[in-house]
Amino acid sequence: MKALRALAGVAGLALMGVGASLLVNVRELTGVLVWLGGAVVLHDGLLAPLVLLVGMALVRGGVRGPVRGALTVAGTLTVVALPVLLRPGPRANSSVLPLNYWGNWLLAMVAVAMVTAVVVAGRRFTRGTTTGPAPKGADPE
C-alpha cells in the first residue's frame, strides 16, 4: 500500500509539472488563474457541501459512501458539461457542436446510477454471505 501511495504521489507531482510547463506558454495567465480560482470556489463552496448534505439527507447506513461518490461523479460531469448543455440555439456551423449533448449527459448519469446500484448491491450481497467465525454462544449446526 505504501508503494502504491508513493507511486500515486510521484505521478501527481509529474502531472503538476506538466501543467506548470503548459502555463509558461499561456498568453493570458490572469484568465487561466481566474478560471482555476473559480473552479476551486465552485468545488469547495458549492459542489462538495451539496454532495455531503444530499448524501447525509438521502441515505442512511452503509450505502452513504457509494451514494456520495456517485453524487460527486454526477456533479463533476454536470459541471464539465454545462458549457455545451447551456449553449443556446442552433449554430451557424453545424460541425461546431454536432452531438446530442443532453442525451449523452443523461446516458452518463444513468451509467453513474447503475454502477452505484451494482456497488450497493454487491456490498449488501457480500455482507449477507460473509462466512466467519460463529458468534459466542451461537449454536453450531
Side-chain angles (χ1 to χ4, degrees):
M1 188 65 173
K2 287 184 181 183
L4 184 61
R5 187 173 291 177
L7 184 64
V10 168
L13 287 173
L15 289 174
M16 286 172 53
V18 169
S21 71
L22 292 174
L23 281 177
V24 172
N25 297 329
V26 173
R27 290 189 180 132
E28 293 187 33
L29 187 59
T30 56
V32 172
L33 294 177
V34 166
W35 186 87
L36 289 172
V40 170
V41 169
L42 181 65
H43 177 272
D44 292 351
L46 180 68
L47 185 61
L50 185 65
V51 165
L52 292 174
L53 289 173
V54 170
M56 195 175 350
L58 292 180
V59 182
R60 298 281 181 232
V63 297
R64 187 175 286 169
V67 170
R68 284 184 179 168
L71 289 170
T72 301
V73 171
T76 304
L77 284 172
T78 301
V79 167
V80 168
L82 276 178
V84 293
L85 292 177
L86 299 178
R87 185 140 186 156
R91 279 150 273 324
N93 184 351
S94 63
S95 66
V96 172
L97 293 174
L99 302 176
N100 178 6
Y101 292 99
W102 279 100
N104 292 339
W105 175 79
L106 285 172
L107 284 174
M109 295 300 110
V110 168
V112 168
M114 289 176 61
V115 168
T116 305
V118 167
V119 168
V120 169
R123 280 188 172 191
R124 289 194 177 164
F125 179 75
T126 56
R127 283 187 187 159
T129 61
T130 302
T131 57
K136 276 191 172 181
D139 242 356
E141 293 184 73

